[in-house]
Amino acid sequence: MSKFVLLNARLFAVGADLTGASSKIELTSEIEDKETTNYYSAGYKEVIGGLGSAEVSAEGQWEATDSTKVDDAMWARLGGVGPWTVCPDNANVGDLAYLTQCLTASYALGGAVGDVAPWTGKGASAWPLVRGQMAHPAGTARTSTGTGTGVQLGAVTAGKRLYAALHVLSVAGTTPSITARIESAPSNAFAAPTTQLTFTAATAAGGEALRTAGGAITDTWWRVAWTISGTTPSFLFATSLGIR
């Protein structure tokens, strides 16, 4: 990806697509520096890495009155933990994505007379901020069991994990249910895929983040697959993946 102007950054917070209500999104990831200076430091400070933290902050135009709007979404999840995914440009399969498990830590609204009603919010990380790719686009409705397009993230080396976020954005039908899973394979043919993570069955808008245990996985191709049941079910959902 070359230099570009931010025109279409995407923000998915748990089960809400806040893109259309957002005009600014910022990501921060940092490691504490802990001083270990001693008499052998030759007159220079020495530091080692301490605890890590990450933050997603956003602001934009306030809207309310249904679960897809920022006011309803932020109030419902204030103080709760769930996945947040940010894409610097689009959110198509293979597009760059940043994901983390966040505490919805703050939400503010209101401004001066004459302003377009604003909001600001912050997600404080419960997991690391992970750089990865989108594995399912938000705008494609799914009505039956299927599999997504593979993305080549690479292998998971020992001590690292695969992280995945599922954002179920809308649900329709009678007794609809979707169970999504993350599969891996050595090639894009997915001849005999291995299920690495399975999300809890979802029957309403919401989100979940999962990660592997930390062992090495030699497969380099990854995709999301899903099982859908119910009468005339329809789901809009977004999925992001990354290794850290």
Side-chain angles (χ1 to χ4, degrees):
M1 178 181 286
S2 58
K3 297 175 183 177
F4 69 103
V5 175
L6 279 171
L7 296 176
N8 190 32
R10 303 296 304 273
L11 172 61
F12 304 101
V14 193
D17 181 352
L18 300 183
T19 305
S22 301
S23 57
K24 184 177 181 180
I25 303 169
E26 292 184 335
L27 300 169
T28 304
S29 182
E30 62 182 14
I31 304 295
E32 288 182 331
D33 55 287
K34 295 293 187 179
E35 188 172 337
T36 58
T37 307
N38 56 70
Y39 287 120
Y40 282 138
S41 297
Y44 285 85
K45 286 186 177 181
E46 293 186 18
V47 297
I48 59 173
L51 296 177
S53 64
E55 182 178 294
V56 182
S57 59
E59 61 184 64
Q61 300 86 31
W62 180 91
E63 294 179 296
T65 69
D66 75 58
S67 60
T68 68
K69 306 301 185 185
V70 64
D71 194 65
D72 302 69
M74 294 297 285
W75 274 113
R77 297 176 178 96
L78 190 60
V81 175
W84 289 40
T85 296
V86 175
C87 302
D89 191 8
N90 292 304
N92 299 317
V93 173
D95 282 348
L96 178 63
Y98 297 87
L99 60 139
T100 187
Q101 179 92 300
C102 271
L103 168 72
T104 303
S106 68
Y107 172 59
L109 65 152
V113 63
D115 287 350
V116 174
W119 70 275
T120 60
K122 181 179 76 173
S125 66
W127 286 1
L129 183 66
V130 180
R131 186 181 188 273
Q133 298 179 40
M134 292 299 295
H136 191 274
T140 301
R142 301 297 184 180
T143 59
S144 60
T145 297
T147 58
T149 303
V151 295
Q152 193 172 23
L153 283 176
V156 179
T157 57
K160 293 193 175 183
R161 306 184 189 203
L162 174 81
Y163 291 78
L166 172 68
H167 306 273
V168 179
L169 304 172
S170 72
V171 179
T174 303
T175 63
S177 177
I178 183 170
T179 301
R181 63 189 182 276
I182 304 301
E183 297 178 341
S184 67
S187 76
N188 198 26
F190 285 89
T194 301
T195 297
Q196 301 291 351
L197 297 169
T198 301
F199 295 96
T200 303
T203 58
E208 185 179 6
L210 297 175
R211 59 186 177 186
T212 55
I217 301 172
T218 58
D219 289 344
T220 58
W221 284 87
W222 304 83
R223 72 180 181 186
V224 61
W226 56 88
T227 301
I228 290 177
S229 62
T231 303
T232 62
S234 182
F235 293 86
L236 287 174
F237 65 93
T239 309
S240 55
L241 308 171
I243 296 170
R244 178 161 179 172

